[in-house]
Amino acid sequence: MQKYKKIGFLLICFLIVGVIVFVMNFKKETSTQTNKEDTETSSIRAHYHFTVPDKWKNDPQRPLYVNGKYHYYYLYNRDYPDGNGTEWRHATSEDLVHWQDEGVAIPKYTTENGDPWSGSVVIDWENTAGFGEGAFVAIVTQPSADGGKQEQFLWYSTDKGQTFTPYGDKPIMENPGTHDFRDPKVMWDERDEKWKMVMAEGAKIGFYESNNLINWEYTSGFTTEGMGIVECPDLYLMQADDGALKWVLGASANGLSTNKPNTYAYWIGDFDGKEFIAEQNDPQWLDYGFDWYGGVTFEEGTQKDNLTRRYAFAWMNNWAYAHNTPTLQEGFNGMDSIVRQIELKHEGDNHYYLASQPIEALNKLETTTESFKNINVNGSKTLPLKGDVYQLEADISWEKLKNVGLRLRESADKKKHVDVGIFYNPEQPYFYVNRSNTGHPDENLQLVESTSPFNTNKKQVHLKIFVDTTSIEVFIDDGKKVHSQVIFPEEKDQGISLFSEGGEAVFSNLKFTNMKSANH
């Protein structure tokens, strides 16, 4: 009997110990899960913008569409913020919204010619360069072993763009004697079956041609004015909505000295295969915000007719404050704008412009929607909505007023917000996006309100606004004007208010749509 009492006692002890261990493990797992959820909740990684997995990214390289996927390369620094040098990292996507990281394709410091900078990659379907039919051929700027001169080097891939091999250690294009000689953009011209290239050469854009992607000949130059050094040039043919065929020459440029944007400038004109002639001296701009630089345009892979529309996106940052971002606390710095569709439109007396709209694939991320037909505002009105990742669309009309718009990412006390609106006066009305009342990257407070001209005779506007955790992009009317800005609001600041000063405005067809993350 005594023996069974001891056994019972031992069983009870084991049972008690087991319960204690179970409770401790449960608490540990619960704590771990809570910490994980807290971390995910507090993350400010963008939900539907492309972001670098870690460390640093800047210039995007023009994507290519092959076998159902877009292949995207971008400048990446694995040693950021302690070490220098960029390399080409690779990502793929079927819809330009959801991305798969493919790792580094062109590593840095693998030759004597330093690290790879910007350039472009093409697919050599006809084997003009001799690396095989369908080889990926990249022409890339590198600071050469010859004193660090900016020169052009060729890399090629025979494994569908996963890894690239350098074509020797000598440049295929030597520096012609200018400090700036970079960012080659290559295209195939069916008219004479030659490769054509545009190159950033200080304030000039140089034009070159080749039969084989290796030997290049200079044909002409296009000189810009009032925008300093141009970067990342672009050249493509488009068909306007009136049927006219026009060539577009683009480049990232800084027009701030003349009160112009610091984004993507473009000229409409004619390119005969050797020389570009612009129809107007002053450029137009694809974005009026502060954070749309190094932009690239590219063909929509699923369409046989690539003349009526193209895609475009850019690095969403500014060299004035490129390293000032709270995302560094999460170990990364680098984001792109959403991909937009661009079309060439005709207006007035033979004037053409590029109109931008967000790509339809973003609609896949839409979740819940709330709509309002007509809201009359004279003063301020707070909507019964909250959000930090969403799309908002609205029509605004008025008869007479001074200022009208929306306050987004607004704090509970109304002191912090991003303002999107129109300052309307008979002499020079303008559209604006003002981030001065919320967190933003410009410590010098010089780049807080972006503006664009607004038609004096207009008394209505259509807005399509995309808000993500650290960004806002505003498409005005048909997208002739777009403003892209980086913002750093507090997570809890999620209010939305409408305002009108100096008169009454009507906000109609207002549609608020929450958006889920593209990262899962």
Coordinates of all heavy atoms in Angstrom, one line a residue, residues 462-520:
H462 N -10.6 66.7 -61.0 CA -10.7 65.3 -60.6 C -9.4 64.9 -60.0 O -8.4 65.1 -60.6 CB -11.1 64.5 -61.7 CG -11.2 63.0 -61.4 ND1 -12.3 62.5 -60.7 CD2 -10.3 62.0 -61.5 CE1 -12.1 61.2 -60.5 NE2 -10.9 60.8 -61.0
L463 N -9.5 64.3 -58.8 CA -8.3 63.8 -58.1 C -8.3 62.3 -57.9 O -9.3 61.8 -57.5 CB -8.1 64.5 -56.8 CG -8.0 66.0 -56.8 CD1 -7.8 66.5 -55.3 CD2 -6.8 66.5 -57.6
K464 N -7.2 61.7 -58.1 CA -7.0 60.3 -57.8 C -5.7 60.2 -56.9 O -4.6 60.6 -57.4 CB -6.8 59.4 -59.0 CG -6.8 57.9 -58.7 CD -6.7 57.1 -60.0 CE -8.0 57.2 -60.8 NZ -8.0 56.3 -62.0
I465 N -5.8 59.8 -55.7 CA -4.7 59.9 -54.7 C -4.4 58.6 -54.2 O -5.3 57.8 -53.7 CB -5.1 60.9 -53.5 CG1 -5.6 62.2 -54.1 CG2 -4.0 61.0 -52.6 CD1 -6.2 63.1 -53.0
F466 N -3.1 58.2 -54.2 CA -2.6 57.0 -53.6 C -1.8 57.3 -52.4 O -0.8 58.0 -52.5 CB -1.8 56.2 -54.6 CG -2.7 55.5 -55.7 CD1 -3.2 56.2 -56.7 CD2 -2.9 54.1 -55.6 CE1 -4.0 55.6 -57.7 CE2 -3.7 53.5 -56.5 CZ -4.3 54.2 -57.6
V467 N -2.2 56.7 -51.2 CA -1.5 56.9 -50.0 C -0.9 55.6 -49.5 O -1.7 54.6 -49.5 CB -2.4 57.5 -48.9 CG1 -1.7 57.6 -47.6 CG2 -2.9 58.9 -49.4
D468 N 0.3 55.5 -49.2 CA 1.0 54.4 -48.6 C 1.6 54.8 -47.3 O 1.6 56.0 -46.9 CB 2.0 53.7 -49.6 CG 2.2 52.2 -49.3 OD1 1.9 51.8 -48.2 OD2 2.6 51.5 -50.3
T469 N 2.3 53.9 -46.6 CA 2.8 54.2 -45.3 C 3.7 55.4 -45.3 O 3.8 56.2 -44.3 CB 3.5 53.0 -44.6 OG1 4.4 52.5 -45.6 CG2 2.5 52.0 -44.2
T470 N 4.5 55.6 -46.3 CA 5.5 56.6 -46.4 C 5.5 57.4 -47.7 O 6.5 58.0 -48.1 CB 6.9 56.1 -46.2 OG1 7.2 55.1 -47.2 CG2 7.1 55.5 -44.8
S471 N 4.3 57.5 -48.3 CA 4.3 58.2 -49.6 C 2.9 58.7 -49.9 O 1.9 58.2 -49.4 CB 4.8 57.3 -50.7 OG 3.9 56.2 -50.9
I472 N 2.8 59.7 -50.8 CA 1.6 60.1 -51.4 C 1.8 60.5 -52.9 O 2.8 61.1 -53.2 CB 1.0 61.3 -50.6 CG1 -0.3 61.8 -51.3 CG2 2.0 62.5 -50.6 CD1 -1.1 62.8 -50.5
E473 N 0.9 60.0 -53.8 CA 1.0 60.3 -55.2 C -0.4 60.7 -55.7 O -1.4 60.1 -55.5 CB 1.4 59.0 -56.0 CG 2.9 58.7 -55.7 CD 3.2 57.2 -56.0 OE1 2.9 56.4 -55.2 OE2 3.7 57.0 -57.1
V474 N -0.4 61.9 -56.3 CA -1.7 62.6 -56.6 C -1.7 62.7 -58.2 O -0.8 63.4 -58.7 CB -1.8 63.9 -56.0 CG1 -3.1 64.6 -56.3 CG2 -1.6 63.8 -54.4
F475 N -2.7 62.2 -58.8 CA -3.0 62.3 -60.2 C -4.1 63.3 -60.4 O -5.2 63.1 -59.9 CB -3.3 60.9 -60.8 CG -2.2 59.9 -60.7 CD1 -1.9 59.3 -59.5 CD2 -1.4 59.7 -61.8 CE1 -0.9 58.4 -59.4 CE2 -0.4 58.7 -61.7 CZ -0.1 58.1 -60.6
I476 N -3.9 64.3 -61.2 CA -4.8 65.4 -61.4 C -5.5 65.3 -62.7 O -4.8 65.2 -63.8 CB -4.1 66.8 -61.3 CG1 -3.3 66.8 -59.9 CG2 -5.1 67.9 -61.4 CD1 -2.2 67.9 -59.9
D477 N -6.8 65.4 -62.7 CA -7.6 65.3 -64.0 C -7.2 64.0 -64.8 O -7.2 62.9 -64.3 CB -7.5 66.5 -64.8 CG -8.3 67.7 -64.1 OD1 -9.3 67.4 -63.4 OD2 -7.9 68.8 -64.2
D478 N -6.7 64.2 -66.0 CA -6.3 63.0 -66.8 C -4.9 62.6 -66.6 O -4.4 61.7 -67.3 CB -6.6 63.3 -68.3 CG -5.6 64.3 -68.9 OD1 -5.0 65.0 -68.1 OD2 -5.5 64.4 -70.1
G479 N -4.2 63.2 -65.6 CA -2.9 62.8 -65.3 C -1.8 63.6 -66.0 O -0.7 63.3 -66.1
K480 N -2.2 64.8 -66.6 CA -1.2 65.7 -67.2 C -0.3 66.2 -66.1 O 0.9 66.5 -66.3 CB -1.9 66.8 -67.9 CG -1.0 67.8 -68.6 CD -1.8 68.9 -69.3 CE -0.8 69.9 -70.0 NZ -1.6 70.9 -70.7
K481 N -0.8 66.3 -64.9 CA 0.0 66.7 -63.7 C -0.1 65.6 -62.7 O -1.1 65.1 -62.4 CB -0.5 68.0 -63.1 CG -0.6 69.2 -64.1 CD 0.7 69.7 -64.5 CE 0.6 71.1 -65.2 NZ -0.3 71.2 -66.3
V482 N 1.1 65.3 -62.1 CA 1.2 64.3 -61.0 C 2.2 64.8 -60.0 O 3.2 65.4 -60.4 CB 1.7 62.9 -61.5 CG1 1.6 61.9 -60.4 CG2 0.8 62.5 -62.7
H483 N 1.9 64.6 -58.7 CA 2.8 65.0 -57.6 C 3.1 63.7 -56.8 O 2.2 63.1 -56.3 CB 2.1 66.0 -56.7 CG 2.0 67.4 -57.3 ND1 2.6 68.5 -56.8 CD2 1.3 67.8 -58.4 CE1 2.3 69.6 -57.6 NE2 1.5 69.1 -58.5
S484 N 4.4 63.4 -56.7 CA 4.8 62.3 -55.9 C 5.7 62.8 -54.8 O 6.7 63.4 -55.0 CB 5.6 61.3 -56.8 OG 4.8 60.8 -57.8
Q485 N 5.4 62.4 -53.5 CA 6.2 62.9 -52.4 C 6.3 61.8 -51.3 O 5.4 61.0 -51.1 CB 5.5 64.1 -51.7 CG 5.6 65.4 -52.6 CD 5.3 66.6 -51.8 OE1 5.4 66.6 -50.5 NE2 5.0 67.7 -52.4
V486 N 7.5 61.8 -50.7 CA 7.7 60.9 -49.5 C 7.2 61.7 -48.3 O 7.4 62.9 -48.1 CB 9.2 60.6 -49.4 CG1 9.5 59.9 -48.1 CG2 9.6 59.7 -50.6
I487 N 6.5 60.9 -47.4 CA 6.0 61.5 -46.1 C 6.3 60.5 -45.0 O 6.4 59.3 -45.2 CB 4.5 61.8 -46.2 CG1 3.7 60.6 -46.6 CG2 4.3 63.0 -47.1 CD1 2.2 60.8 -46.6
F488 N 6.4 61.0 -43.8 CA 6.7 60.2 -42.6 C 5.7 60.5 -41.5 O 6.1 61.0 -40.4 CB 8.1 60.4 -42.1 CG 9.2 60.1 -43.1 CD1 10.3 60.9 -43.2 CD2 9.1 59.0 -44.0 CE1 11.3 60.6 -44.1 CE2 10.0 58.8 -45.0 CZ 11.2 59.6 -45.0
P489 N 4.4 60.4 -41.7 CA 3.4 60.6 -40.6 C 3.5 59.6 -39.5 O 4.0 58.5 -39.7 CB 2.1 60.6 -41.3 CG 2.3 59.7 -42.5 CD 3.8 59.9 -42.9
E490 N 3.0 60.0 -38.3 CA 2.9 59.0 -37.3 C 1.8 58.0 -37.6 O 0.8 58.3 -38.3 CB 2.6 59.6 -36.0 CG 3.7 60.5 -35.4 CD 3.4 61.1 -34.1 OE1 2.7 60.4 -33.3 OE2 3.9 62.2 -33.7
E491 N 2.0 56.7 -37.2 CA 1.1 55.6 -37.6 C -0.3 56.0 -37.2 O -1.3 55.6 -37.9 CB 1.6 54.3 -36.9 CG 0.7 53.1 -37.3 CD 1.2 51.9 -36.6 OE1 2.1 51.9 -35.8 OE2 0.6 50.8 -36.9
K492 N -0.5 56.6 -36.1 CA -1.9 56.9 -35.6 C -2.6 58.0 -36.3 O -3.8 58.2 -36.1 CB -1.8 57.2 -34.1 CG -1.0 58.4 -33.7 CD -0.9 58.6 -32.2 CE -0.1 59.8 -31.9 NZ 0.1 60.0 -30.4
D493 N -1.8 58.8 -37.1 CA -2.4 59.9 -37.8 C -3.1 59.4 -39.1 O -2.4 59.2 -40.1 CB -1.3 60.9 -38.2 CG -0.7 61.6 -37.0 OD1 -1.3 61.5 -35.9 OD2 0.3 62.2 -37.1
Q494 N -4.4 59.2 -39.0 CA -5.1 58.5 -40.1 C -6.4 59.2 -40.5 O -7.2 58.7 -41.3 CB -5.4 57.1 -39.8 CG -4.1 56.2 -39.5 CD -4.5 54.7 -39.4 OE1 -5.6 54.3 -39.6 NE2 -3.5 54.0 -39.0
G495 N -6.6 60.4 -40.1 CA -7.8 61.1 -40.4 C -7.8 61.7 -41.7 O -6.8 61.9 -42.4
I496 N -9.0 62.1 -42.2 CA -9.2 62.7 -43.5 C -10.2 63.9 -43.3 O -11.4 63.7 -42.8 CB -9.8 61.8 -44.6 CG1 -8.8 60.6 -44.8 CG2 -10.0 62.5 -45.9 CD1 -9.3 59.5 -45.7
S497 N -9.9 65.1 -43.8 CA -10.8 66.2 -43.7 C -10.8 66.9 -45.1 O -9.9 66.9 -45.8 CB -10.3 67.2 -42.6 OG -10.5 66.7 -41.3
L498 N -12.0 67.5 -45.3 CA -12.1 68.3 -46.5 C -12.2 69.8 -46.1 O -12.7 70.1 -45.0 CB -13.5 68.0 -47.2 CG -13.8 66.5 -47.4 CD1 -15.1 66.3 -48.1 CD2 -12.7 65.8 -48.2
F499 N -11.7 70.7 -47.0 CA -11.7 72.1 -46.6 C -11.9 73.0 -47.8 O -11.6 72.7 -48.9 CB -10.4 72.5 -45.9 CG -9.1 72.5 -46.7 CD1 -8.8 73.6 -47.5 CD2 -8.3 71.4 -46.8 CE1 -7.7 73.6 -48.3 CE2 -7.2 71.3 -47.6 CZ -6.9 72.4 -48.4
S500 N -12.5 74.2 -47.5 CA -12.7 75.2 -48.5 C -12.6 76.5 -47.8 O -13.2 76.7 -46.8 CB -14.1 75.0 -49.1 OG -14.4 76.1 -50.0
E501 N -11.9 77.4 -48.4 CA -11.7 78.8 -47.9 C -12.1 79.8 -48.9 O -11.8 79.7 -50.1 CB -10.2 79.0 -47.5 CG -9.7 78.0 -46.4 CD -8.2 78.2 -46.2 OE1 -7.6 79.1 -46.8 OE2 -7.6 77.4 -45.4
G502 N -12.9 80.8 -48.4 CA -13.3 81.9 -49.3 C -14.5 81.5 -50.2 O -14.7 82.2 -51.2
G503 N -15.2 80.5 -49.9 CA -16.4 80.1 -50.6 C -16.7 78.6 -50.4 O -16.0 77.9 -49.7
E504 N -17.8 78.2 -51.1 CA -18.2 76.8 -50.9 C -17.7 75.9 -52.0 O -17.7 76.4 -53.2 CB -19.7 76.8 -50.8 CG -20.3 75.4 -50.5 CD -21.8 75.3 -50.4 OE1 -22.4 75.4 -51.5 OE2 -22.3 75.2 -49.3
A505 N -17.3 74.7 -51.7 CA -16.9 73.7 -52.7 C -17.8 72.5 -52.5 O -18.3 72.2 -51.4 CB -15.5 73.4 -52.5
V506 N -18.0 71.8 -53.6 CA -18.8 70.5 -53.6 C -17.8 69.4 -53.9 O -17.2 69.3 -55.0 CB -19.9 70.5 -54.6 CG1 -20.7 69.2 -54.5 CG2 -20.9 71.7 -54.3
F507 N -17.7 68.4 -53.0 CA -16.9 67.2 -53.2 C -17.9 66.1 -53.6 O -18.8 65.7 -52.8 CB -16.2 66.8 -51.9 CG -15.1 67.8 -51.5 CD1 -15.4 69.0 -51.0 CD2 -13.8 67.4 -51.8 CE1 -14.3 69.9 -50.6 CE2 -12.7 68.3 -51.4 CZ -13.0 69.5 -50.8
S508 N -17.8 65.7 -54.8 CA -18.8 64.6 -55.3 C -18.0 63.4 -55.8 O -16.8 63.4 -56.0 CB -19.6 65.2 -56.5 OG -18.8 65.7 -57.5
N509 N -18.8 62.3 -55.8 CA -18.3 61.0 -56.2 C -17.0 60.6 -55.4 O -16.1 60.0 -56.0 CB -17.9 61.0 -57.7 CG -19.1 61.4 -58.6 OD1 -20.2 60.9 -58.3 ND2 -18.9 62.3 -59.5
L510 N -17.0 60.9 -54.2 CA -15.8 60.6 -53.4 C -15.8 59.1 -53.0 O -16.8 58.6 -52.5 CB -15.8 61.5 -52.1 CG -14.5 61.5 -51.3 CD1 -14.3 62.8 -50.6 CD2 -14.5 60.3 -50.3
K511 N -14.7 58.5 -53.3 CA -14.6 57.0 -53.1 C -13.3 56.7 -52.4 O -12.2 57.1 -52.8 CB -14.6 56.3 -54.5 CG -14.5 54.8 -54.4 CD -14.5 54.2 -55.8 CE -14.3 52.7 -55.8 NZ -14.3 52.1 -57.1
F512 N -13.4 56.1 -51.2 CA -12.3 55.7 -50.4 C -12.2 54.2 -50.4 O -13.1 53.5 -50.1 CB -12.5 56.2 -49.0 CG -11.5 55.8 -48.0 CD1 -10.3 56.5 -47.8 CD2 -11.7 54.6 -47.2 CE1 -9.4 56.1 -46.8 CE2 -10.8 54.2 -46.3 CZ -9.6 54.9 -46.1
T513 N -11.0 53.7 -50.8 CA -10.7 52.3 -50.9 C -9.5 51.9 -50.2 O -8.4 52.3 -50.5 CB -10.6 51.9 -52.4 OG1 -11.7 52.4 -53.2 CG2 -10.4 50.4 -52.5
N514 N -9.7 51.0 -49.2 CA -8.6 50.4 -48.5 C -7.8 49.5 -49.4 O -8.4 48.8 -50.2 CB -9.0 49.7 -47.2 CG -9.4 50.6 -46.1 OD1 -8.6 51.4 -45.6 ND2 -10.7 50.6 -45.7
M515 N -6.5 49.4 -49.2 CA -5.7 48.5 -50.1 C -4.9 47.6 -49.2 O -4.3 48.0 -48.2 CB -4.8 49.4 -51.0 CG -5.5 50.3 -51.9 SD -4.5 51.2 -53.0 CE -3.9 49.9 -54.1
K516 N -4.8 46.3 -49.6 CA -4.1 45.3 -48.8 C -2.6 45.4 -49.3 O -2.3 46.0 -50.4 CB -4.7 44.0 -49.0 CG -4.7 43.5 -50.5 CD -5.4 42.1 -50.5 CE -5.5 41.6 -52.0 NZ -6.2 40.3 -52.1
S517 N -1.8 44.7 -48.6 CA -0.4 44.6 -49.0 C -0.1 43.7 -50.1 O -0.7 42.7 -50.3 CB 0.5 44.2 -47.8 OG 1.8 44.1 -48.1
A518 N 0.9 44.1 -51.0 CA 1.4 43.3 -52.1 C 2.5 42.5 -51.7 O 3.1 41.7 -52.5 CB 1.8 44.2 -53.3
N519 N 2.9 42.5 -50.4 CA 4.1 41.8 -49.9 C 3.9 40.4 -49.4 O 4.8 39.8 -48.9 CB 4.8 42.7 -48.8 CG 5.2 44.0 -49.3 OD1 5.6 44.2 -50.5 ND2 5.1 45.1 -48.5
H520 N 2.6 40.0 -49.5 CA 2.3 38.7 -48.9 C 1.8 37.7 -50.0 O 1.3 38.2 -51.0 CB 1.2 38.8 -47.9 CG 1.6 39.7 -46.7 ND1 2.7 39.5 -45.9 CD2 1.0 40.8 -46.3 CE1 2.8 40.4 -45.0 NE2 1.8 41.3 -45.2

